[in-house]
Amino acid sequence: MNIMNKDTSHINSLENEAIYIMREVAAQFDKPVLLFSGGKDSITLVRLAVKAFYPAKMPFPLMHIDTGHNFPETIEFRDKLVKELGLELIIRKVQDSIDEGKVKEESGKYSSRNALQTTTLLDAIEEFKFDACIGGARRDEEKARAKERIFSVRDDFGQWDEKNQRPELFDMLNGDIEHGQNVRVFPISNWTELDVWSYIEKEDIEIPSIYFAHKRKVFLRDGLIWSHSEFVYQEEDEEVLERMVRFRTVGDMSCTAAVFSEAADIASVVSEIRDSTISERGARIDDKRSEAAMEKRKQQGYF
């Protein structure tokens, strides 16, 4: 078997698994939702969900927890995708949680709204009584993610206990939950960043332009490349430069750094990632706050 056929077979196997998981969610839960950020992983989830239920309509809405500090390219793409596919989109805003006094805006050099999403998300789950939230987390992203099951049960406070995970043997997914509990579902948990990009290439999926090399005003700090924006804290002596960059991951602007790149199309991005020795989460400053930053946020109810 040549390398191309081997890669295609691997991607097809991952797609089949993800579609199976999507269908299990629809069968086992009363009110699921797909958490959508406008990033490559959630865009991949939408394609998988569309294929899982075709020719019927996708049987659950999308929900975006909007930090208000998003990359404009991401929001434009989100609205375009929803319109083209005729999907239902629910938007809940972190700014509302701030205005209601439920969370406090951070300040200073490493301030971000990323962690503040937790309160907005949990409130939205309670508001709509969602019992399953589908997301694009992958086990290769960060070590706390590697502890997750595909069906990850959260208690009635939205919290995750890594010591109380259900076994998942032979693809048997147990969606039986108690009143007040909900499940986070990760259909692409077994995928890698390269798998996602290979699937995007194979399926010819459109994604936001921010993922490809483009000229952007940036500044350098702590060995990372930050967007020059009103949403990103910047010292007066941090010089604004214009450079060719792209983003490997898309989150809140205040915590997501770029990488120098000339990769202007999907094939070039796939080649670049194949040669990379650094995880995409290496460009997320919120994961660097402490050794267990992600795990602590997940325990509090973070996606």
Side-chain angles (χ1 to χ4, degrees):
M1 180 182 293
N2 63 40
I3 293 177
M4 183 63 72
N5 288 338
K6 184 178 180 180
D7 287 348
T8 301
S9 175
H10 172 65
I11 295 301
N12 287 343
S13 177
L14 290 173
E15 179 189 61
N16 290 337
E17 178 189 52
I19 286 175
Y20 162 72
I21 294 167
M22 291 284 191
R23 291 172 176 167
E24 284 295 301
V25 170
Q28 295 193 43
F29 296 97
D30 294 325
K31 202 165 184 183
V33 65
L34 194 156
L35 302 178
F36 188 80
S37 67
K40 66 184 185 307
D41 297 321
S42 58
I43 292 167
T44 296
L45 286 180
V46 170
R47 171 60 63 91
L48 291 165
V50 168
K51 294 184 81 168
F53 302 104
Y54 183 83
K57 186 177 179 180
M58 199 169 76
F60 36 74
L62 308 185
M63 182 165 71
H64 182 205
I65 303 302
D66 185 352
T67 66
H69 291 176
N70 299 284
F71 292 95
E73 297 95 329
T74 306
I75 299 301
E76 290 169 11
F77 183 89
R78 178 200 70 186
D79 295 341
K80 176 185 175 185
L81 181 69
V82 167
K83 183 177 180 180
E84 287 180 349
L85 296 181
L87 303 175
E88 178 186 355
L89 173 65
I90 297 167
I91 301 172
R92 288 297 177 267
K93 299 181 178 182
V94 170
Q95 185 63 54
D96 292 337
S97 299
I98 295 171
D99 293 344
E100 292 165 8
K102 294 180 177 180
V103 293
K104 184 178 180 180
E105 183 86 82
E106 296 181 0
S107 60
K109 189 174 180 180
Y110 299 112
S111 58
S112 171
R113 287 187 173 185
N114 201 47
L116 305 187
Q117 295 178 84
T118 299
T119 296
T120 312
L121 171 62
L122 295 180
D123 285 349
I125 292 172
E126 176 62 25
E127 176 187 354
F128 292 97
K129 307 299 180 186
F130 291 127
D131 53 1
C133 299
I134 304 166
R138 308 185 320 270
R139 290 183 176 129
D140 74 319
E141 285 183 276
E142 198 273 346
K143 61 186 179 182
R145 294 291 196 198
K147 299 179 182 180
E148 291 271 22
R149 299 294 189 266
I150 291 173
F151 277 14
S152 181
V153 179
R154 307 298 172 100
D155 65 21
D156 51 1
F157 296 103
Q159 297 175 332
W160 173 74
D161 181 359
E162 76 281 5
K163 296 178 182 178
N164 188 28
Q165 294 284 295
R166 297 172 174 177
E168 289 178 343
L169 306 176
F170 310 110
D171 295 329
M172 296 174 64
L173 301 174
N174 181 4
D176 186 23
I177 55 177
E178 298 178 4
H179 179 72
Q181 290 182 327
N182 63 80
V183 170
R184 308 291 170 82
V185 181
F186 305 113
I188 61 172
S189 184
N190 291 325
W191 299 41
T192 65
E193 181 190 13
L194 182 58
D195 291 331
V196 171
W197 276 104
S198 298
Y199 187 72
I200 290 170
E201 182 178 35
K202 172 180 173 289
E203 293 286 305
D204 194 24
I205 299 173
E206 184 181 0
I207 59 173
S209 60
I210 197 170
Y211 280 109
F212 301 112
H214 58 286
K215 279 191 176 181
R216 194 179 198 91
K217 289 183 177 180
V218 299
F219 66 96
L220 307 181
R221 179 199 295 151
D222 300 330
L224 298 174
I225 308 161
W226 300 99
S227 289
H228 173 60
S229 165
E230 63 179 310
F231 301 138
V232 182
Y233 179 89
Q234 186 173 348
E235 301 280 1
E236 290 185 5
D237 61 350
E238 290 176 323
E239 182 184 1
V240 177
L241 311 167
E242 189 170 70
R243 294 289 186 270
M244 287 291 290
V245 300
R246 73 175 193 85
F247 291 83
R248 287 178 66 181
T249 180
V250 175
D252 187 275
M253 287 185 74
S254 59
C255 65
T256 307
V259 295
F260 291 124
S261 176
E262 297 290 335
D265 55 42
I266 291 179
S268 299
V269 169
V270 169
S271 178
E272 184 178 274
I273 293 170
R274 200 182 295 273
D275 295 335
S276 176
T277 58
I278 301 173
S279 165
E280 64 185 306
R281 298 296 296 198
R284 294 291 290 271
I285 196 68
D286 52 322
D287 289 344
K288 300 177 184 294
R289 294 187 175 191
S290 74
E291 185 70 17
M294 172 67 81
E295 188 156 329
K296 289 179 180 178
R297 293 202 305 276
K298 281 158 50 62
Q299 290 168 348
Q300 295 166 354
Y302 183 78
F303 166 68

